[in-house]
Amino acid sequence: MDGLLCYCRAGFEPELAGELSDRATEAGFAGYARTERDSGHVVYVCEDADGLSRALPWASLIFARQKLRLLADLRGLDPRDRIAPMLAALQGRARFGTLVMEHPDSDAAKPLAGLARSLGNALRPALRKAGLLSAQDDARLPRLHVCFVAGDHALLAASDPADSAPWPLGIPRLRMHADAPSRSALKLEEALLVLLDEGERRRLLRDGMRAADLGAAPGGWTWVLARHGLRVQSIDNGPLRQHVLDTGLVEHLRADGFSWQPAQALDWMVCDMVEQPRRVAERMATWLREGWCRHAIFNLKLPMKKRWQETRLCLDLFAAQAGEPLAIRAKQLYHDREEITVFATR
C-alpha cells in the first residue's frame, strides 16, 4: 500500500482526514483517507506517496502530530512470529538509521505499549542482521516506525528526519514546572518548541524584548515569557499569581484584552483567551496590521462541528486582514484540546 500515515489527537481523525484530502487535491494528487473515529491516526492512500509527502511538509500540517511514509500494512500477524513478516515486507529497502516502536495515542492502543517495547528488543538485532538497520543509531538516515494498532496488526512506515516530528508519536513530553501558575504554561512552551526552530528561538526570544499577554490571568503564558527574559505587560481584569509579579519583569494592567492596545510597538503578543475563533483571528490580524507587534502566538478555540472548515476560514481571515505577507504556522499541539495554536511573524 502506498500512502502516508499521520498521527493525531484521538477524536480529530475527521479533521486530519479532511485536511489531507483537501490539500492533496489542491496539490494535484488523487487519493483517499482511511480512518476510524478515536483511532488516533489516519492513512491517506495515494499512488504517488513520495510526491505527496514532498507536497505536504510535516510543519505545514495542522492536525498531524507526525507524518510518515507508509511502507506496509500487516494484518493477521501470528503472535508466535511477528518479525518474519516485517522482514519480508522490508526486503530490498535501503538501510534505516533507527527503529521507533509505537502505537497510536488512543485509549484502545495504549495497552499495546508493552508489546511494542518487548518486540522492539527482538526486532532490532533481526533488522541489523538483515542489513536493514544501522549498527548504531544514525540521525542522518530515515527512521523506521513500527506502529501497532492491534496485537495482530502493524503499520510499517518511514520518516525523514528533516520532515517529521523528532519525538515518538510526535509528542514532546514536557514536565509541568513546580512554579508554573497553570497547566496552560505547557501550551506556550510546546508552541515555542514545535512552531519555532532552534535558531528562531535564540533570535526571537532574547532578554529585554517586550511582550503583551492578552487575557493573562493567572499568568501561565506570562510566566513562560518572563523565564525567557522578556518584559511582559499582562492584560487581564483577573489576578495574577504573586510569584509571577515578583519576577520584576511583569506589569499587570487590568483591562480587556480585546480592546487594549500598546502605547508603542512590541516584539511579541500572545493570547489564549476563550472567545469565538473568528473574533480572535480578526483581533490578532489587527495587531499585526497596525504594527503593534512583530511576532504573535495565539490559540483559536474550535467549535464542536466542522472544525477543519472553521480552521481554514479563520486562518484565511487572519491572513487577509493582517494586510501584509506573514509567515504563518499552525498546529494542534499535544497540550491543546479543542483548539489550534498559531504562530505568525512579520
Side-chain angles (χ1 to χ4, degrees):
M1 177 184 294
D2 287 329
L4 303 182
L5 169 62
C6 296
Y7 301 144
C8 66
R9 184 179 186 86
F12 278 78
E13 299 82 11
E15 286 68 35
L16 176 54
E19 179 182 11
L20 292 172
S21 297
D22 286 353
R23 295 196 55 194
T25 299
E26 291 164 4
F29 293 87
Y32 63 92
R34 194 185 70 192
T35 190
E36 296 179 6
R37 172 71 76 170
D38 296 325
S39 65
H41 72 285
V42 174
V43 170
Y44 191 84
V45 181
C46 175
E47 289 187 0
D48 185 6
D50 289 333
L52 179 61
S53 184
R54 290 191 294 270
L56 303 182
W58 169 75
S60 73
L61 294 172
I62 297 171
F63 291 100
R65 292 176 177 171
Q66 180 64 290
K67 184 197 75 172
L68 310 173
R69 170 71 167 84
L70 185 63
L71 304 178
D73 186 345
L74 304 180
R75 299 170 183 264
L77 292 171
D78 187 339
R80 295 170 296 181
D81 185 7
R82 298 180 176 94
I83 293 178
M86 295 181 182
L87 295 178
L90 296 170
Q91 199 65 37
R93 296 278 181 184
R95 194 164 43 124
F96 296 95
T98 190
L99 172 65
V100 183
M101 302 297 296
E102 296 176 312
H103 59 81
D105 184 33
S106 66
D107 290 339
K110 285 178 182 177
L112 298 168
L115 168 62
R117 184 168 50 252
S118 62
L119 186 67
N121 294 333
L123 182 58
R124 282 185 182 86
L127 288 168
R128 288 177 174 137
K129 184 177 180 181
L132 291 167
L133 185 66
S134 296
Q136 301 292 331
D137 285 352
D138 189 338
R140 299 168 298 177
L141 296 176
R143 297 182 292 255
L144 173 62
H145 296 250
V146 177
C147 176
F148 274 99
V149 294
D152 63 349
H153 185 189
L155 301 172
L156 307 187
S159 65
D160 177 353
D163 186 26
S164 60
W167 315 282
L169 291 177
I171 299 174
R173 299 293 181 178
L174 304 178
R175 290 188 176 183
M176 179 73 172
H177 195 283
D179 291 337
S182 64
R183 291 196 63 82
S184 68
L186 293 172
K187 292 195 287 187
L188 183 55
E189 288 186 338
E190 185 182 358
L192 296 172
L193 180 64
V194 174
L195 298 176
L196 281 68
D197 62 32
E198 185 176 351
E200 288 171 329
R201 288 191 293 274
R202 287 197 303 268
R203 180 167 50 87
L204 302 182
L205 296 167
R206 301 195 308 271
D207 287 355
M209 281 186 161
R210 292 172 298 121
D213 180 4
L214 308 182
W221 285 30
T222 292
W223 175 81
V224 172
L225 294 175
R227 290 189 75 198
H228 283 279
L230 277 68
R231 296 188 172 277
V232 188
Q233 291 178 297
S234 297
I235 316 303
D236 203 306
N237 284 310
L240 298 186
R241 298 291 172 84
Q242 186 59 44
H243 71 278
V244 176
L245 297 171
D246 291 343
T247 62
L249 296 173
V250 177
E251 178 186 10
H252 182 198
L253 301 177
R254 294 185 178 271
D256 179 2
F258 265 98
S259 59
W260 183 84
Q261 66 184 65
Q264 55 184 320
L266 304 174
D267 298 292
W268 277 93
M269 178 270 292
V270 299
C271 175
D272 189 27
M273 290 190 286
V274 179
E275 187 50 82
Q276 293 295 322
R278 296 183 200 184
R279 187 178 181 218
V280 173
E282 289 176 341
R283 186 59 178 172
M284 300 300 98
T286 298
W287 270 77
L288 274 299
R289 184 180 64 251
E290 298 299 325
W292 296 343
C293 68
R294 296 177 58 203
H295 322 292
I297 290 179
F298 57 91
N299 276 350
L300 296 175
K301 317 293 182 179
L302 301 178
M304 294 302 296
K305 296 181 179 180
K306 297 184 177 181
R307 293 180 290 204
W308 164 235
Q309 292 87 337
E310 186 70 14
T311 294
R312 295 200 72 167
L313 188 154
C314 288
L315 291 178
D316 289 346
L317 177 67
F318 169 71
Q321 294 198 8
E324 62 176 281
L326 299 174
I328 301 173
R329 304 166 200 163
K331 280 282 185 187
Q332 184 181 40
L333 303 173
Y334 175 71
H335 292 97
D336 286 340
R337 295 187 183 274
E338 309 289 327
E339 62 196 353
I340 63 168
T341 300
V342 183
F343 165 66
T345 183
R346 298 168 61 187

